[in-house]
Amino acid sequence: MIFPDEVLRARRARVAAALPLDDAVLLVGAGDPIPLPEGTDQTYPFRAHSDYYFLTALECRGGVVAFDPRHGPESGWVSFVPETTEGERIWEGRTQPAGTSMALLKAWLNERASRPRVVLGAPIRGVDADAARAAALRPHFLHARRPKDPAELTLICRAAAATAAGYAAIQPHLKACVSERSIQIEIEAAFFRAGGTRTGYGTIVGTGPNSAGLHFEPTSRTAQPGDFILIDAGAEIDRYVCDVTRTYVADGSPSSFQRDLHAVVLAAQEKTITRCLAGAEWKALHLQCAAELVSGLVQMDVMRGDPAELVARDAHTVFYPHGLGHLVGLGVRDASGTLPGRGKDPRAALQTLRTDLPLEPGYAITVEPGLYFIPALLNDPIRRERHRDDVNWKLVEQHLDLGGVRIEDTIVVTTGVPDVLTAGIPKTLP
């Protein structure tokens, strides 16, 4: 999808209005290809920096988009593109992108030589800039990109549809003797058949104890009867992604403990989705969800004590060590972070929280609580001593190889109830 000029003009005007540039000029770099280390003429697959792509919709190697605030929020922008070489036309079939010749960038800068320069996006070769000013402006640029415009939401919805096709395709493969790698192949192939241009991120498939690996890469391990099968995978269409996690049981026959654990995560996830309203503070939603997860673990006799007090002393991180979710869009964690001017919360339990800001209409964000039996956490003597009265360690010992449960949907915050883009992907156990 190539965005219409009016969409790009609106985005540039939004960014211009959000940046306290004063009289500085802004340059946003696409970046350059990175050569493979073998000394060949090959490079890693090129992806223009998200900030540059947002403003230009170009995968242009070495491209630069420049802005002079003196010329207004729409007219002040110039997109400079390098000349396509003969070699690129012959070997790669590349064509000349639309824009102003890169040869004219030097003259553009010389005309503004007395004014500060700020570089965002990727570094630009041969251009000196004010690094401190760039660091100060960066949060404002990200914040301007957070609400997705209708054209962006269209692509995210298409990515969600391709993702749903992938999850539908793997249902016959969720059984014993099927390998993690086989499931990965089936789901990714279905993404592509449904219009996906790439996977949105590295596909995660973990069976049995591997389902406790938060970013586990698929292996040749085959699922055993009754194993958890955790799949975290999403399609990408024209740079925009969808992010989904579902947890199944091989052959569809969970134990009572597995069923209860899955039910705790599902209930907390669905309640949290209903709270994703405009103005809600994400950090507060995370802590409220953590308390509900802990409450479920107390009912299962995995944890002991008052849920609010357990969360207050970070006991929940033994089983829930990550944040509630993150923004998505031009990448799987697009424009996540904090509100401009808001520092990182120093609390140890919140160091993995990727987003800390109030929700606004147009935000595409994931809701992905989980509970895991991770040996590296559960066998840590310091944690065992710190939480000796908070955890039923005797029961935990019986489930060290259980794995984990995560359930994740991509939603869009609206002026009313949230729109769950991935609601069509079933998440209940048989």
Side-chain angles (χ1 to χ4, degrees), residues 12-100:
R12 293 173 179 178
R14 190 202 316 174
V15 169
L19 297 183
L21 280 168
D22 299 323
D23 199 36
V25 295
L26 172 69
L27 298 101
V28 182
D32 296 302
I34 300 174
L36 292 176
E38 301 90 75
T40 67
D41 61 354
Q42 298 295 297
T43 66
Y44 289 100
F46 177 74
R47 304 259 288 181
H49 195 285
S50 296
D51 292 346
Y52 174 87
Y53 190 88
F54 176 77
L55 296 169
T56 66
L58 293 175
E59 294 285 9
C60 182
R61 307 176 188 188
V64 175
V65 61
F67 174 61
D68 184 342
R70 291 184 183 179
H71 294 275
E74 291 192 14
S75 301
W77 295 89
V78 182
S79 177
F80 294 96
V81 297
E83 297 294 330
T84 302
T85 67
E86 182 180 70
E88 289 171 334
R89 293 195 296 269
I90 293 172
W91 290 94
E92 303 172 37
R94 292 174 58 82
T95 58
Q96 180 63 36
T100 301

Side-chain angles (χ1 to χ4, degrees), residues 210 213 266 396:
N210 293 345
L266 179 58
V396 165

Side-chain angles (χ1 to χ4, degrees), residues 164-182:
Y167 277 89
I170 61 169
Q171 296 307 306
H173 303 274
L174 302 176
K175 56 188 179 183
C177 300
V178 173
S179 72
E180 296 163 351
R181 175 66 172 153
S182 296

Side-chain angles (χ1 to χ4, degrees), residues 124-189:
I124 302 170
R125 287 179 294 174
V127 175
D128 295 325
D130 187 331
R133 193 186 291 252
L137 288 177
R138 175 74 178 152
H140 295 277
F141 193 107
L142 281 180
H143 195 58
R145 290 209 298 105
R146 283 173 177 145
K148 302 308 176 201
D149 60 40
E152 292 179 294
L153 290 175
T154 295
L155 286 176
I156 297 173
C157 288
R158 288 176 55 196
T163 300
Y167 277 89
I170 61 169
Q171 296 307 306
H173 303 274
L174 302 176
K175 56 188 179 183
C177 300
V178 173
S179 72
E180 296 163 351
R181 175 66 172 153
S182 296
I183 294 172
Q184 176 193 14
I185 291 169
E186 294 298 329
I187 197 168
E188 291 182 0

Side-chain angles (χ1 to χ4, degrees), residues 28 31 47 54 56 65 86 88 101 104 117 122 149 172 181 202 212 251 295 310 316 318 320 386 407 421:
V28 182
R47 304 259 288 181
F54 176 77
T56 66
V65 61
E86 182 180 70
E88 289 171 334
S101 172
L104 300 177
R117 297 175 186 172
D149 60 40
R181 175 66 172 153
D251 294 331
S295 180
L310 290 168
H316 64 287
V318 175
Y320 177 38
R386 181 185 302 147
I407 302 172
L421 302 186

